[in-house]
Amino acid sequence: MARLHLGRVLVVAFLLVACSSSSSSCCPGAAAAPTTVDGITAIYNFGDSITDTGNLIREGATGVLRYIGKLPYGIDLDLLHGPTGRCSNGYLMIDFLAKYLGLPLLNPYLDKAADFTHGVNFAVAGATALDTATLAERGVTNALTNSSLDVQLAWFKDFMASATNSSQDEIRRKLASSLVMLEIGGNDFNYAFQQQQTRPSDGAGYGLGNVTRIVETLAQAGALVPPVVQSISNAAEELLEMGAVRVVIAGNFPIGCVPVYLAGANVTEPAAYDGDGCLGVLNAFAELYNARLRGAVAALQRAHPRAVVAYADYFAAYARVLREARARGFDPARTRTACCGAAAGAAYYGFDESRFCGAPGTAVCADRDRDRYVSWDGVHPTQHAYAEMAELLYRGGLAYPPPIKWPAGQTLPGPTSAPLN
């Protein structure tokens, strides 16, 4: 039983130590004096629900995400006293990364009373790389937020202008000691799939029905790949021109392994699944997008040889967690089942869009079992899964070229205490 909670215990222990000395996010009013790594004193993050630490709930969460501001979301955020708008049962990858760097947790930009000394989180759950007007022209609707990547970039510029009196030299100095993260783009495709899934011929819900329909749906989503990649590339280029020297651009997860897609596809043909029990055609789509995004990252690196432009391989990190589930403390039988959502036995993979996690009548797995699940609500990972992926990405080499130079022999707080290579 102790092994099941080892990751969370180590995280909490580290955070308690951090609170006692430096972290203003844990201890409001405390003077923050973090010990930095590789000269990084701040993180600026752009993204969606994978990294949002509270912007959407300040905008006004609607739709299925209207539940993220209350329990059981944030049920394991022991030191943050419950729900914060994070789409998980606990901490996110961006939280683990901040702690790896000796920095306070990132506050959301829309919390105007927050301390932004060591960075700002501009991510908004539900956000897209393309703006809503561009998506609408392509028949794709985003009803959750208008805070696309362009909007978040405008927030960043406003913040930098106010923090530096619009001094370009001061902006470059701030960015020279910062890590810039771009984790966005997945929702552009999620909404495209959902638009097709809920057409009148389908009936209610997420059902794609069969492999043929999935392939038809991929055509619309595929048309979005070039403009989504271009949008992310343009934002990164602008940040690099402003003075960013460490930029991390994240790829997409293997969406064919995620409960929301597995349950919605409702495919019975065994040939549709790969050796990991995932929908092969959806994973192939994610890999196609990731390959194009990697090409854009490589082009940015060539254009800015004095900076580090890294690709964070979310696909590989998630796949490793699934394939090494038992060794990493997960239950292999639960890696594609939501911990929170439809009542036990009510829906395959534990996901039912009409009974999204937090809605009346939904169920949540027991406290002793939460660390055994990879998926929290059928869409977003659990805290344990985020911890493992953060370790794989930022300690295990799945973000490349390495965006951070770790001191020799340093250990990271998180799911393991092994020294860095």
Side-chain angles (χ1 to χ4, degrees):
M1 186 65 67
R3 289 187 63 193
L4 298 182
H5 297 283
L6 177 59
R8 197 188 320 156
V9 169
L10 288 171
V11 171
V12 172
F14 174 80
L15 289 169
L16 284 170
V17 171
C19 274
S20 68
S21 59
S22 63
S23 176
S24 59
S25 292
C26 295
C27 305
T35 301
T36 59
V37 173
D38 196 19
I40 297 172
T41 61
I43 302 173
Y44 297 104
N45 181 69
F46 304 82
D48 51 35
S49 59
I50 302 302
T51 51
D52 183 3
T53 55
N55 282 315
L56 183 65
I57 62 170
R58 288 172 172 80
E59 279 191 352
T62 60
V64 293
L65 294 183
R66 66 186 179 276
Y67 305 111
I68 66 174
K70 61 183 181 180
L71 292 173
Y73 283 89
I75 195 170
D76 293 313
L77 286 171
D78 307 310
L79 298 172
L80 296 182
H81 310 297
T84 59
R86 286 168 169 80
C87 292
S88 183
N89 60 306
Y91 295 99
L92 311 177
M93 274 190 282
I94 193 70
D95 297 316
F96 289 103
L97 179 58
K99 286 303 167 184
Y100 291 175
L101 294 172
L103 299 174
L105 303 183
L106 275 188
N107 289 315
Y109 174 71
L110 296 180
D111 182 358
K112 298 305 182 181
D115 182 358
F116 297 133
T117 304
H118 298 288
V120 188
N121 194 351
F122 302 100
V124 181
T128 51
L130 299 175
D131 62 59
T132 52
T134 300
L135 286 172
E137 290 172 359
R138 296 170 178 270
V140 178
T141 302
N142 177 359
L144 296 177
T145 178
N146 291 321
S147 298
S148 64
L149 181 54
D150 282 349
V151 171
Q152 294 178 32
L153 191 59
W155 288 348
F156 171 78
K157 292 176 182 176
D158 289 344
F159 170 79
M160 279 294 180
S162 64
T164 63
N165 293 320
S166 298
S167 166
Q168 296 304 308
D169 288 341
E170 180 60 20
I171 290 172
R172 297 189 78 83
R173 280 194 293 270
K174 287 178 75 70
L175 287 174
S177 61
S178 301
L179 180 67
V180 177
M181 310 288 293
L182 288 134
E183 172 280 309
I184 199 164
N187 283 329
D188 299 68
F189 308 119
N190 292 340
Y191 298 144
F193 285 124
Q194 184 178 346
Q195 297 290 133
Q196 292 295 322
Q197 291 165 9
T198 55
R199 290 191 304 187
S201 60
D202 286 337
Y206 276 72
L208 286 168
N210 53 49
V211 175
T212 301
R213 184 60 182 276
I214 291 176
V215 172
E216 292 174 355
T217 305
L218 287 173
Q220 184 186 31
L224 291 173
V225 169
V228 167
V229 170
Q230 191 62 57
S231 175
I232 296 169
S233 178
N234 289 347
E237 175 68 32
E238 196 160 356
L239 291 161
L240 287 159
E241 289 293 333
M242 291 176 70
V245 296
R246 300 177 188 86
V247 178
V248 178
I249 298 175
N252 203 356
F253 294 110
I255 58 175
C257 303
V258 179
V260 59
Y261 279 103
L262 288 165
N266 191 28
V267 174
T268 57
E269 293 90 338
Y273 297 88
D274 61 22
D276 296 316
C278 305
L279 286 166
V281 67
L282 291 178
N283 280 358
F285 172 81
E287 290 190 287
L288 178 93
Y289 164 73
N290 288 340
R292 183 142 187 164
L293 186 63
R294 285 196 301 273
V297 171
L300 287 165
Q301 183 66 79
R302 289 193 297 271
H304 299 272
R306 294 186 179 181
V308 175
V309 186
Y311 174 73
D313 197 341
Y314 278 21
F315 190 105
Y318 196 100
R320 282 275 298 276
V321 167
L322 294 182
R323 291 168 187 168
E324 300 169 4
R326 192 179 303 280
R328 294 181 177 274
F330 298 97
D331 180 350
R334 301 174 182 176
T335 55
R336 280 165 288 276
T337 301
C339 171
C340 178
Y348 200 35
Y349 302 105
F351 181 84
D352 183 340
E353 189 253 347
S354 66
R355 285 180 290 175
F356 200 76
C357 178
T362 55
V364 61
C365 56
D367 176 74
R368 65 181 183 275
D369 290 333
R370 285 197 288 273
D371 283 347
R372 304 279 277 167
Y373 284 78
V374 171
S375 178
W376 165 242
D377 57 12
V379 179
H380 309 98
T382 59
Q383 171 180 265
H384 185 191
Y386 277 131
E388 295 291 337
M389 286 188 285
E391 184 189 6
L392 285 164
L393 286 160
Y394 302 109
R395 189 175 85 86
L398 291 184
Y400 47 85
I404 303 160
K405 295 178 182 177
W406 302 100
Q410 178 180 339
T411 58
L412 298 181
T416 76
S417 57
L420 283 170
N421 295 326

